[in-house]
Amino acid sequence: METYSYVNIFETKGLEYLLLMCFLVLLIYFVRYLREPGGKE
């Protein structure tokens, strides 16, 4: 019984780039939220 499965790294590039772009956009909004003076209540 073989448990090794071959994964082509080039097949997942699209998903990885989408996740990276979402992370960067959320990071920018998070930093802007933290730097906002006064804070919203």
Side-chain angles (χ1 to χ4, degrees):
M1 187 168 172
E2 188 174 331
T3 58
Y4 176 78
S5 62
Y6 175 73
V7 176
N8 187 359
I9 61 169
F10 298 106
E11 291 178 352
T12 60
K13 284 289 184 187
L15 180 61
E16 290 176 3
Y17 283 129
L18 284 175
L19 289 174
L20 179 66
M21 294 302 283
C22 290
F23 176 76
L24 290 176
V25 169
L26 289 175
L27 181 66
I28 291 170
Y29 281 114
F30 183 68
V31 170
R32 285 185 180 176
Y33 173 75
L34 289 179
R35 294 184 57 157
E36 186 175 286
K40 295 180 180 177
E41 290 186 11

